[in-house]
Amino acid sequence: MRRKIMSLTFFILMLSFSIGGTFLLGFVMNEQKDKLGNQALLVAKTVSQLPELKTYITSRDFNEATTHINPIVEEIRDINGAQYIVVLDMQRRKYSHPISEEIGQISQSGDLNAAFSEHYYTSIAHGEYGDMVRAFVPIMSSEGKQVGVVIVGYSVLTIAELLQSIQKELIITIFLSLLFSAWGAHNLGLHMKKQMFGLEPHEIAKMYVERTETFNAMHEGIIAIDNDLTITIFNEKACDILGVYEQPSTLIGKKIYEVLPDTRLPEILELDQPLFNRELYINGHSIMSNRIPIQVNEKTVGAVAMFKDRTEVKKLAEELTGVKAFVQALRVQTHEHKNKLHTIAGLLQLGHHEQALSYLTQVKEEHDEITNFLNERIKNENISGLLLSKISYAKEQGIRLEIDRESHLTVFPKNLDHHDFVILFGNLIENAFDALKDTQLDEKIVHVSVDEDEDVLAILVTDNGIGMTEEVRAHIFDNGFSTKEKKGRGIGLYLIQEIVHKGQGDIEVTSEPHKGTSFLITFYYS
């Protein structure tokens, strides 16, 4: 590859030198003509002012005049290196010429007319000596009357003659040009090879195709931009998740805000730090994203977002709250039912049949009452099941979980669904249980209330546990913050805050050490 780059670079440089040389030769040729024209005009003016010339050109004896004029003019011609100097009288008869046979002949030149009208000028003509620069100057008598014309001609060097004249300099220039072209091509090849990590062009092309296919095969959406907010990566899964109905290849090179105005990728360039596990609402779709700055040599050159459809990642979130709670509830209910069966079996063995029947009726009524209440007032089986499991778990832990009998939930706020509320209720109640575990209270109580009307949904969870200090309360919504030493904690309240923000709600925390804590969350339907 380096050899190809060197050859191509060398060719480009030499082509550039050739084009530049052509223009330079043209410039030198024009300069030469201008210089010769000025010189010819100067010589012609000098000759026209010679006293001998003015005297003899008006002589009646032509032969005597040419005998005196031609030697003087020829001497001046030799001194100044002119190709010829011709003196004409007003009848265009030649009084001097380098070729003696031309003396006495009438000039047939077509560009003489202006000179016989007292004009000074130069012209370029193609004659027997090649291209000639000619100067025309009128000869004026002492009385101010024109008596003739002086023509001075200089031969213009051809390109070959010009190159021949600078042969030594030209050879040195070409040699240095070739040397530095080869050196530049070599260094450029090395630099490009280094910039491309030593890869050949076909290897880079192969890697680009492999990268594109790899991104398209992934189950996560991937979008990347550079510092100019231009899209550099947009895979097919990102189009599917975000509802972008264009081919990913057509999106490359566009500005991100032209395709998706609300990706919030540009803020990563401003923050210059990653943001993980953030729930976003983009183009009408709810996603869970990780956004990371792209750094090369410790310099941020862009940002990349990797995200999944929220319904998929909610399965993981529910593992932290709802699903674990359901599994735990099954274990608690199994244990609770065993105890109840043992109680009934003992009463029957002792012959207390009426007490056994009464106890069984009481258990059934309690279960039916709370089940009917949840089914009637909480219009979502996922939330109902979660609350029922929490009631059973609370009994095992010696905690009384009270659910306000006036609670009511029928509609979820905008942008939220039952996944969000499973996380919200699960974490709030679990935190209340944690606050009561290490207390020595005679009665441990957690109260849950859900108040709904046309405009507002208010959720209240209170406990009479250990409470919080002002310092702790200031950090409870920080991701990873926890007063427990156990790893993996400190995410519950952070998730709650994210849900509240997404639903455009408010959250209010009231707490006092050793007296308890209350969380009031309010969502607005209008």
Side-chain angles (χ1 to χ4, degrees), residues 169-405:
E169 294 82 355
L170 187 62
I171 292 174
I172 294 174
T173 301
I174 293 175
F175 173 76
L176 291 176
S177 298
L178 291 173
L179 179 64
F180 283 105
S181 296
W183 176 80
H186 174 74
N187 283 278
L188 180 61
L190 289 177
H191 177 72
M192 293 182 66
K193 183 98 172 177
K194 182 179 179 181
Q195 292 294 313
M196 294 187 292
F197 304 100
L199 298 174
E200 297 292 336
H202 70 276
E203 294 175 319
I204 296 175
K206 180 183 177 182
M207 287 180 62
Y208 177 79
V209 173
E210 290 175 347
R211 186 200 71 159
T212 302
E213 293 304 316
T214 299
F215 285 144
N216 288 333
M218 296 178 71
H219 292 286
E220 292 83 12
I222 299 178
I223 302 175
I225 60 173
D226 60 20
N227 281 337
D228 295 325
L229 307 185
T230 301
I231 297 173
T232 56
I233 299 172
F234 206 111
N235 71 345
E236 292 179 357
K237 192 65 176 180
C239 292
D240 294 339
I241 294 175
L242 299 178
V244 178
Y245 303 107
E246 295 184 49
Q247 287 296 322
S249 58
T250 65
L251 302 175
I252 306 302
K254 292 185 178 181
K255 299 296 182 181
I256 185 65
Y257 52 77
E258 295 176 357
V259 181
L260 295 168
D262 49 0
T263 59
R264 297 176 66 178
L265 252 181
E267 74 179 28
I268 300 300
L269 299 177
E270 298 175 5
L271 296 174
D272 200 22
Q273 62 182 14
L275 295 176
F276 297 106
N277 299 320
R278 295 297 179 92
E279 194 168 338
L280 301 175
Y281 199 72
I282 299 176
N283 202 29
H285 297 76
S286 184
I287 64 170
M288 188 68 73
S289 77
N290 295 315
R291 289 166 289 156
I292 306 169
I294 302 172
Q295 294 186 332
V296 177
N297 297 326
E298 300 182 354
K299 182 180 179 181
T300 299
V301 296
V304 60
M306 294 164 285
F307 52 90
K308 284 187 175 183
D309 193 309
R310 177 179 169 274
T311 55
E312 297 180 7
V313 300
K314 281 302 175 186
K315 295 178 182 179
L316 178 59
E318 289 181 359
E319 176 67 17
L320 299 175
T321 52
V323 175
K324 282 188 174 181
F326 295 147
V327 173
Q328 186 184 54
L330 288 174
R331 181 183 61 80
V332 171
Q333 287 181 0
T334 301
H335 181 69
E336 184 180 3
H337 279 76
K338 282 184 179 180
N339 290 336
K340 290 175 181 178
L341 288 173
H342 290 160
T343 300
I344 294 171
L347 289 172
L348 292 174
Q349 288 177 0
L350 292 173
H352 302 304
H353 301 98
E354 292 184 3
Q355 289 88 335
L357 181 61
S358 176
Y359 177 74
L360 184 60
T361 302
Q362 179 186 352
V363 170
K364 180 180 181 302
E365 288 177 351
E366 289 178 355
H367 182 269
D368 289 345
E369 190 274 335
I370 187 64
T371 301
N372 292 334
F373 162 73
L374 291 174
N375 287 333
E376 291 176 1
R377 309 292 291 187
I378 307 299
K379 299 299 183 180
N380 184 276
E381 61 274 12
N382 296 280
I383 310 299
S384 299
L386 175 65
L387 293 175
L388 185 61
S389 71
K390 292 299 183 183
I391 291 172
S392 301
Y393 178 70
K395 287 181 180 180
E396 187 181 65
Q397 298 299 316
I399 300 172
R400 188 168 85 248
L401 175 58
E402 298 177 344
I403 299 179
D404 188 350
R405 289 304 188 261

